[in-house]
Amino acid sequence: SHQHNDLKRDSRGALIVLEGLDRCGKTSQCARLLSTLEGLGYSVESWRFPDRTTGVGRMISSYLSNQSQLDDHAIHLLFSANRWEKRSLMEAKLMSGTTLIVDRYSYSGVAFSSAKGLDFQWCKAPEVGLLAPDLVVYLDISPEKAAERGGYGGERYEQLEFQKKVAESYKKLIDTSWKTVDATLPIEDIEKHLKEITLECIVECQKGKSLS
Ligand code: T5A
Ligand code: NA
C-alpha cells in the first residue's frame, strides 16, 4: 500500500558498533552478523575503523605497524579524522535505510589513547559531533585470554601490559546503554546473542528513532 511504501522510505538503518580489546573476536562476529542480516533481507554493510584505505588511514596503518613514529596526540587526532572523513557517507547510508555494522569506533579512540596516559576528556573532545551509535556491543574478554588467541600479530598495541590498561579505560567508558557479551563463549553462541540484540535495535530504528 501507499502507507507501507512511505514507511519503508522513511525508515533508517541502525548504527551498530562492536568494541573490545585486540583479539576479542570483533572481526569474526561482524562478518557473521553481516551475512545473517543479509540473509534476512536487510540492507546492511560492514565497516571498520581504522579505515586503512584513505590517506589518513595509510598514515595510521604505518604507525600501527611501527613503520612510522607519531606524537601520541597526533595519532589520536588522525584516528578521529579517519572517522570524520567518513561521517557524511555514514549518515547518507543510514538515512537511505542501510544498517552499518562497525568494527571499532570513537570508544576505541578514547580507550587506547587514554591508556597511554592522555587526558580522558581531551581524548573525547574530537569525537563530539560524530554520529551516535544506536547500539554498542562490548565483547568482553580478559587481556590474558585475548593474548592466548592465535598470538598477537606484532602491531603496536598488541602487548599484554598495554591491553590491561585499555581494559581499564573501557571500564570507564561503558555505560548502561551498552550491551556486554561474554567474548569467551563459543563463536556460534556469541553470534546467536548478537543476532538477537541487533535485530531488536534495527526494529527500533525502523520505527523512526531519530539519528543523533
Ligand atoms: N585503535 C583503533 C586506536 O588506537 N584508536 C582508534 O580510534 C581505533 C579505531 C587496530 C588497532 O588500532 C587501535 C586498536 C587496535 O589496536 P584493528 O585493525 O581493528 O585495530 O585490529 P584489532 O581490532 O585488534 O583486530 P584483531 O584482528 O586483533 O581482533 P578482532 O577483530 O577482535 O578478533 P578476530 O575476530 O580477528 O579474532 C581473533 C582470533 O580469535 C579467534 C579468531 O579465530 C582469531 O584467531 N576467535 C575466537 N576464539 C575462540 N572463541 C571465540 N569466541 C573466538 N572469536 C574469535
Ligand atoms: Na590487532
Side-chain angles (χ1 to χ4, degrees):
S1 76
H2 211 93
Q3 197 183 0
H4 180 72
N5 284 338
D6 283 344
L7 263 178
K8 273 214 124 171
R9 193 189 57 219
D10 292 342
S11 67
R12 67 169 180 88
L15 179 52
I16 296 165
V17 170
L18 271 69
E19 287 281 356
L21 300 180
D22 286 11
R23 294 292 185 274
C24 68
K26 294 174 288 63
T27 307
S28 311
Q29 292 300 333
C30 282
R32 284 162 181 255
L33 195 52
L34 177 74
S35 58
T36 301
L37 295 176
E38 276 176 345
L40 292 171
Y42 287 100
S43 169
V44 56
E45 288 184 13
S46 164
W47 285 44
R48 70 178 311 156
F49 289 107
D51 177 339
R52 302 187 192 218
T53 65
T54 69
V56 172
R58 282 189 287 279
M59 290 176 72
I60 294 170
S61 189
S62 156
Y63 172 83
L64 286 173
S65 59
N66 293 304
Q67 289 169 310
S68 65
Q69 308 303 320
L70 282 169
D71 176 82
D72 290 342
H73 301 81
I75 183 64
H76 180 75
L77 294 173
L78 287 180
F79 274 114
S80 185
N82 190 225
R83 285 181 280 278
W84 275 103
E85 64 182 340
K86 293 289 168 181
R87 187 194 182 284
S88 59
L89 183 58
M90 289 175 84
E91 184 170 40
K93 297 265 180 195
L94 292 166
M95 295 318 287
S96 75
T98 299
T99 284
L100 304 180
I101 300 162
V102 185
D103 188 343
R104 295 196 182 284
Y105 197 54
S106 298
Y107 314 99
S108 288
V110 177
F112 283 76
S113 292
S114 68
K116 294 170 168 177
L118 299 191
D119 179 72
F120 203 67
Q121 293 307 323
W122 186 90
C123 289
K124 278 179 154 180
E127 307 297 321
V128 175
L130 290 171
L131 301 173
D134 297 296
L135 173 66
V136 183
V137 180
Y138 185 69
L139 290 182
D140 193 19
I141 188 170
S142 71
E144 291 79 7
K145 283 224 170 110
E148 288 166 12
R149 284 195 176 164
Y152 282 145
E155 283 215 321
R156 189 178 286 264
Y157 298 146
E158 296 176 345
Q159 289 165 15
L160 181 56
E161 287 314 307
F162 185 67
Q163 295 287 322
K164 286 181 185 170
K165 291 181 184 157
V166 176
E168 288 305 309
S169 297
Y170 268 122
K171 278 185 194 155
K172 288 198 234 165
L173 283 168
I174 292 173
D175 70 43
T176 51
S177 69
W178 290 30
K179 304 267 191 213
T180 297
V181 175
D182 181 353
T184 64
L185 294 172
I187 290 185
E188 293 72 20
D189 292 5
I190 299 170
E191 180 183 357
K192 200 167 154 246
H193 205 66
L194 279 176
K195 179 186 167 185
E196 281 166 21
I197 56 185
T198 51
L199 278 175
E200 245 172 60
C201 173
I202 290 170
V203 168
E204 279 305 306
C205 291
Q206 284 178 332
K207 282 186 197 159
K209 184 169 167 261
S210 70
L211 185 60
S212 46

